[in-house]
Amino acid sequence: MTDSPESVRKRPRSERQSRYSEAPSSSSSPSAHAMTTRSRSQSIAQLATKAAKTGPGISAGEQQRKSAEKAGKTRKSGGDKYSISDKISSIEDCEATSNTLEGTDGDVLTLQAIEGFSSEDEMLAKLELVFSDPCTLARSFPQTDSSLATTCPVDVSAVRKAYEIILGRSSDRVLEELRVLTVNAVSMLNWEPCDEHNNQMNAVLILLMNPLITEYTSAGSSSGYLFTDLCNAIIAQPSAQRTILMRYLAVDDGVPFDSANTDGSISDAGLLPGSESDGRNTPFGRHIGIFQSYITREMVKATRRAPAPAAAANGSAVADQVLHKVSLHALSSSSLPAVAQCLALMNSYNNVHNIVPYALFYNDAVNEYIDIKDDVPRFRMPDNVSFCSYPFLLSPNTKSEIIRIESVILMRTELQDSFFRAMFSGVTCPYLVLEVRRDSLVRDTLYQLDLKLSQDLRKQLKVRFVGEEGVDEGGVQKEFFQLIVRDVFAAKYGIFKANDESQYHWFSHQSDPSKDALEEIRLTGQLIGLAVYNAVILDIHLPPAMYKKLLGMPTTRDDLREVDPTLHHGLTQLLSMSAEELEFLDRTFEVEYDNVGKLCTFELIPNGSQTQLTVDNREEFIDKYVDFVFNKSCDKQFQAFKSGFDRICGASYVRFMRPRELELLVCGCSDLDFSALEGSTIYDGGYTKNTKVIQFFWEVVRGFTDELKRKLLFFATSSDRVPIGGLSKLHFVIAKNGGDSDRLPTSHTCFNVLLLPEYSNIDKLRERLLTAIHNSEGFGMI
């Protein structure tokens, strides 16, 4: 059993030395064995005693270095770690001069001790004693509140205040000594991993709370920074110890957070709409910020390159450095993978305990500077060195771009294969072509998709409406998807049913759906997968529970509130009813539902019709009811839907998305911020933002209702949906289409171009524009 820091601290010193001198594992090296079997507390006490005898102005660390140099073991510049043999030699040099701290309780550090130091030499001696031994460091700052000690044996509030005192009041000599001691402490963590007698996670927590931990240099580290070694030490610990550390990092230290003191690595723009808080004002959020700030700094540093000599000679880049996109493969020798793995541990812990919003793990520097075109192909390579391996760092916009690049790569591959096959087996179409009639859209589409092979579905989609001249360069397929999903989700097809209150669609209740019905559902899932594959945003209203199930995540009671608020409210009321009220309700473990006009019942548990609802089993009743709604009542339908969706997207990066991110990928944003669109619009053909007719145009659009704004989007782009990231991400162009005339505005929907004549007044522009957007279905050749 692991002793608490408090019990170890109160044990007599000789007993503590014996406790921490047990034989190491057989895999340890001889030198490590010698270090382990020697009493580290005693040895460091001897170092401190010897340092005290050197007089003021010479720290214990300096004296220790002098001893090492005497023995011919010269340190490298930058504060290198000693080797194990160097450490032992230095300790042996000091053994004969210890007695000052022997037999006292002075081998641990407390906030009271920090506050009571009368001189820097006294502080240095104490720091030397504590930081040179992870076991002693782990026993420092013990939590005296018994109610908090069970969660974290370290008083994190005291640790934070102690660092504030040391860093705020000390000279450069003390600060440098603290850095050297921290380097040595981290190196000792790497020498000897945790075991049941030595919970070094306490020491890791104390080291990690040092505000300067990410800035300490270490010549012995491959990256040049100590933080890399600390991350490697964390990763090397057993799984149970890493989980303990995650729990420690979430402990509330009672310190208010200064929201103005941020590193810029995580912006509010990266947080998803609806987040109650960005989470940075929590202890767990602050620790996330430590790792994020290091990644941000290294990313920015990697992207800064000196300008090319030719460019500098021409004066085009004399003073400023040039920013370059980078991939993780190009930074494989850096410390980023180790730091990202530590963040992955925190992300996994947060997924279970939901401490902070998951968007707090997005890193703006990674999303801004990542070289996606290089990173995505490397993600599929055996070494897997890619930012794509850490999806929690990537924003929804970056993930959607990754999926788009994956699709483009597959489309090009299929295009090349089609030409190759044509050489041997005759002409084959290099595209997935769908020829459909507007009055028979669903039937024509589902019939043709059913005939396609898997390799055909990976080709680029081309849609042609029978009887129309439009050539599909992207605009025709966008309108096609908008129209067909509107029909597929209509009540007349019976696949989905909309809730009158939430307006979300869920599968219609069918106890035994026919084979044809399941095939239609499968093709519907395939249709939505095709839209994702071809980067088309859909106007569909599926609840978050659907995206959870598509990603293999369990549904909860909260998901029921989204789908059916009235049913959720009714089930929640059961929790507040008394035993008498439940008895009066006379409810059993059965559910009644409408099955194509016929009232049917379903037993939630075996013999449910005979099991009465009571206070003792109402929690089980609610859980079984939720399970019925999301699973039991629609299992066959969902499995068919998922098989169709996975046929297109099952092997793509979609599987690394979160439910909310997948919803944004499929449906886009709901924020109609036309001021952002106005700011990002490009003008062509002689127009500028100061042209009179352009000013007329935006004045008219600002007065539109949301419905008219969506119609304008549909007219200009063939989709009324907003892409991930908002309308500022939409490539929208307004081009001049002649002088003043009675012609209506037109558009190239494939390229999001609005062709606008130079109308002479605002009233004429408003009338012509409204006429155009109210009659916007159909394609012709211009």
Side-chain angles (χ1 to χ4, degrees):
M1 180 178 296
T2 304
D3 293 318
S4 69
E6 182 67 15
S7 64
V8 174
R9 188 178 66 86
K10 294 180 178 179
R11 189 181 296 125
R13 185 174 185 82
S14 59
E15 184 181 342
R16 275 181 277 151
Q17 293 172 1
S18 174
R19 179 74 165 174
Y20 288 96
S21 300
E22 298 186 11
S25 63
S26 60
S27 61
S28 301
S29 65
S31 58
H33 179 93
M35 184 62 192
T36 306
T37 56
R38 185 178 305 279
S39 171
R40 281 179 265 170
S41 297
Q42 182 183 16
S43 301
I44 301 306
Q46 293 163 355
L47 283 174
T49 304
K50 184 174 182 179
K53 294 180 180 180
T54 62
I58 302 178
S59 71
E62 291 168 346
Q63 188 68 17
Q64 188 178 14
R65 285 193 292 274
K66 288 177 182 288
S67 300
E69 290 171 2
K70 272 184 177 183
K73 301 175 174 64
T74 306
R75 294 176 57 83
K76 297 179 183 178
S77 62
D80 269 348
K81 304 184 285 283
Y82 289 118
S83 68
I84 298 177
S85 58
D86 291 341
K87 277 285 185 182
I88 297 170
S89 176
S90 298
I91 292 171
E92 288 173 344
D93 288 342
C94 302
E95 280 184 340
T97 58
S98 80
N99 285 319
T100 304
L101 298 176
E102 188 68 30
T104 72
D105 247 358
D107 60 344
V108 296
L109 197 61
T110 64
L111 178 60
Q112 291 76 17
I114 295 290
E115 292 173 334
F117 288 141
S118 58
S119 67
E120 286 191 348
D121 293 313
E122 186 180 357
M123 180 184 290
L124 283 172
K126 189 68 172 181
L127 292 177
E128 188 76 54
L129 168 68
V130 174
F131 274 79
S132 295
D133 179 16
C135 299
T136 306
L137 184 59
R139 298 197 301 274
S140 298
F141 302 102
Q143 177 58 260
T144 57
D145 188 337
S146 58
S147 62
L148 298 177
T150 55
T151 304
C152 179
V154 178
D155 188 344
V156 292
S157 179
V159 176
R160 192 176 300 281
K161 292 177 183 177
Y163 276 123
E164 289 177 359
I165 293 172
I166 295 173
L167 300 180
R169 304 177 188 173
S170 302
S171 65
D172 291 342
R173 182 169 68 99
V174 175
L175 298 182
E176 172 61 16
E177 187 68 17
L178 178 62
R179 183 192 69 81
V180 173
L181 292 172
T182 304
V183 169
N184 290 336
V186 172
S187 69
M188 295 177 73
L189 287 173
N190 283 322
W191 290 344
E192 188 176 335
C194 264
D195 57 37
E196 61 179 353
H197 303 298
N198 181 14
N199 187 1
Q200 293 179 347
M201 291 300 97
N202 297 5
V204 171
L205 176 63
I206 294 171
L207 293 171
L208 195 57
M209 292 184 67
N210 186 340
L212 300 178
I213 190 65
T214 60
E215 300 178 17
Y216 284 160
T217 57
S218 172
S221 174
S222 60
S223 66
Y225 284 96
L226 175 65
F227 197 60
T228 307
D229 294 337
L230 182 58
C231 290
N232 285 324
I234 294 172
I235 296 168
Q237 300 301 323
S239 176
Q241 297 296 336
R242 295 198 301 262
T243 302
I244 288 173
L245 178 62
M246 296 302 109
R247 188 176 77 239
Y248 290 175
L249 297 181
V251 171
D252 188 359
D253 56 11
V255 178
F257 178 64
D258 181 8
S259 59
N261 184 23
T262 61
D263 53 38
S265 63
I266 312 160
S267 69
D268 292 333
L271 297 172
L272 297 180
S275 298
E276 295 180 1
S277 168
D278 61 16
R280 284 176 289 184
N281 61 342
T282 65
F284 200 66
R286 287 199 291 272
H287 287 296
I288 293 171
I290 293 172
F291 294 91
Q292 292 280 33
S293 64
Y294 186 88
I295 292 176
T296 296
R297 186 183 68 195
E298 293 301 299
M299 281 294 294
V300 173
K301 187 190 304 181
T303 59
R304 296 191 184 279
R305 298 289 185 269
N314 294 332
S316 59
V318 177
D320 297 332
Q321 291 178 314
V322 180
L323 294 180
H324 298 271
K325 299 287 186 179
V326 294
S327 65
L328 188 59
H329 177 79
L331 302 173
S332 58
S333 60
S334 75
S335 59
L336 288 188
V339 180
Q341 287 180 54
C342 287
L343 265 180
L345 294 175
M346 301 183 75
N347 178 65
S348 298
Y349 189 81
N350 188 64
N351 289 339
V352 176
H353 300 280
N354 197 27
I355 303 170
V356 297
Y358 61 80
L360 190 61
F361 288 91
Y362 299 154
N363 187 284
D364 286 352
V366 172
N367 288 289
E368 182 176 358
Y369 300 123
I370 179 176
D371 186 354
I372 299 183
K373 293 182 179 179
D374 183 48
D375 227 51
V376 171
R378 293 194 176 277
F379 178 59
R380 302 294 182 182
M381 294 182 179
D383 58 5
N384 202 27
V385 180
S386 167
F387 280 115
C388 298
S389 301
Y390 307 100
F392 53 86
L393 293 175
L394 307 178
S395 67
N397 194 43
T398 302
K399 289 175 182 173
S400 69
E401 184 66 14
I402 290 171
I403 293 170
R404 187 191 68 81
I405 291 175
E406 282 185 328
S407 300
V408 169
I409 293 173
L410 288 174
M411 288 177 185
R412 288 177 179 172
T413 301
E414 288 301 325
L415 184 64
Q416 293 170 355
D417 289 348
S418 295
F419 287 121
F420 182 78
R421 286 193 295 267
M423 297 173 60
F424 300 95
S425 58
V427 177
T428 59
C429 183
Y431 301 106
L432 171 62
V433 179
L434 298 178
E435 295 190 14
V436 295
R437 297 165 292 177
R438 287 185 179 270
D439 57 356
S440 184
L441 197 60
V442 175
R443 177 175 296 182
D444 290 353
T445 302
L446 298 184
Y447 174 76
Q448 291 180 57
L449 285 179
D450 192 34
L451 299 177
K452 301 297 182 181
L453 301 174
S454 295
Q455 63 191 36
D456 294 328
L457 298 175
R458 291 194 293 268
K459 298 175 181 178
Q460 184 179 354
L461 178 64
K462 298 286 186 181
V463 177
R464 188 174 75 86
F465 286 104
V466 176
E468 298 183 19
E469 298 177 332
V471 176
D472 189 7
E473 293 296 334
V476 178
Q477 64 178 259
K478 284 191 286 186
E479 181 179 359
F480 160 76
F481 278 112
Q482 291 292 102
L483 296 176
I484 193 169
V485 296
R486 183 178 64 188
D487 289 347
V488 166
F489 283 85
K492 65 180 181 179
Y493 282 98
I495 298 176
F496 296 96
K497 183 179 181 180
N499 182 275
D500 295 334
E501 188 175 358
S502 68
Q503 295 303 309
Y504 277 126
H505 289 81
W506 194 250
F507 296 106
S508 299
H509 289 302
Q510 297 182 43
S511 58
D512 189 21
S514 65
K515 183 178 179 180
D516 290 341
L518 292 176
E519 184 63 16
E520 288 183 354
I521 294 174
R522 184 186 67 81
L523 293 173
T524 301
Q526 192 168 290
L527 188 68
I528 295 176
L530 270 178
V532 171
Y533 184 71
N534 287 273
V536 177
I537 299 174
L538 302 177
D539 183 16
I540 59 177
H541 303 279
L542 294 173
M546 180 68 80
Y547 301 104
K548 276 188 170 184
K549 288 174 67 67
L550 285 172
L551 295 172
M553 298 181 180
T555 51
T556 65
R557 298 179 187 180
D558 290 338
D559 296 316
L560 182 62
R561 180 173 52 214
E562 300 280 350
V563 177
D564 194 334
T566 300
L567 176 58
H568 177 270
H569 178 70
L571 291 175
T572 304
Q573 281 188 315
L574 295 177
L575 298 175
S576 59
M577 289 185 178
S578 64
E580 292 76 14
E581 289 173 326
L582 288 175
E583 183 179 0
F584 178 79
L585 191 62
D586 192 26
R587 186 67 186 261
T588 60
F589 274 63
E590 284 184 304
V591 176
E592 294 182 347
Y593 65 95
D594 178 64
N595 182 20
V596 196
K598 181 182 178 182
L599 188 64
C600 299
T601 60
F602 178 84
E603 290 188 332
L604 297 176
I605 60 175
N607 201 29
S609 59
Q610 305 301 318
T611 305
Q612 201 72 21
L613 176 63
T614 64
V615 172
D616 295 331
N617 61 21
R618 58 187 173 186
E619 292 279 359
E620 181 187 9
F621 177 83
I622 295 174
D623 289 337
K624 294 293 184 182
Y625 205 122
V626 172
D627 181 61
F628 168 76
V629 172
F630 290 125
N631 301 310
K632 298 292 177 57
S633 67
C634 59
D635 183 62
K636 293 181 179 179
Q637 294 96 312
F638 174 75
Q639 293 303 327
F641 182 83
K642 187 176 187 301
S643 67
F645 182 82
D646 286 348
R647 189 182 183 191
I648 309 295
C649 299
S652 73
Y653 202 74
V654 166
R655 66 187 187 277
F656 296 106
M657 303 189 83
R658 294 178 178 270
R660 173 61 174 149
E661 295 170 341
L662 179 55
E663 182 180 2
L664 287 172
L665 180 68
V666 174
C667 304
C669 296
S670 58
D671 185 19
L672 284 173
D673 185 5
F674 264 65
S675 61
L677 180 64
E678 181 178 353
S680 62
T681 297
I682 300 170
Y683 302 99
D684 195 14
Y687 283 159
T688 69
K689 66 178 181 179
N690 298 319
T691 304
K692 200 67 175 176
V693 70
I694 296 299
Q695 295 178 348
F696 289 160
F697 174 83
W698 289 116
E699 184 177 345
V700 169
V701 171
R702 291 188 203 106
F704 279 0
T705 63
D706 284 352
E707 181 182 0
L708 286 176
K709 288 178 180 178
R710 290 195 179 278
K711 285 190 174 184
L712 174 60
L713 281 178
F714 186 82
F715 172 74
T717 69
S718 277
S719 174
D720 63 359
R721 308 302 296 171
V722 179
I724 295 178
L727 286 173
S728 62
K729 302 295 183 181
L730 181 66
H731 182 80
F732 183 58
V733 180
I734 300 179
K736 186 175 181 179
N737 191 26
D740 184 27
S741 68
D742 292 331
R743 295 180 62 188
L744 294 173
T746 54
S747 62
H748 292 308
T749 57
C750 300
F751 308 105
N752 302 333
V753 177
L754 176 65
L755 301 173
L756 187 69
E758 193 171 8
Y759 298 115
S760 58
N761 59 74
I762 191 171
D763 293 329
K764 186 175 184 179
L765 185 147
R766 180 185 293 107
E767 186 272 330
R768 295 281 82 189
L769 184 61
L770 287 172
T771 301
I773 66 176
H774 282 303
N775 299 271
S776 57
E777 284 193 9
F779 290 88
M781 301 298 291
I782 297 179

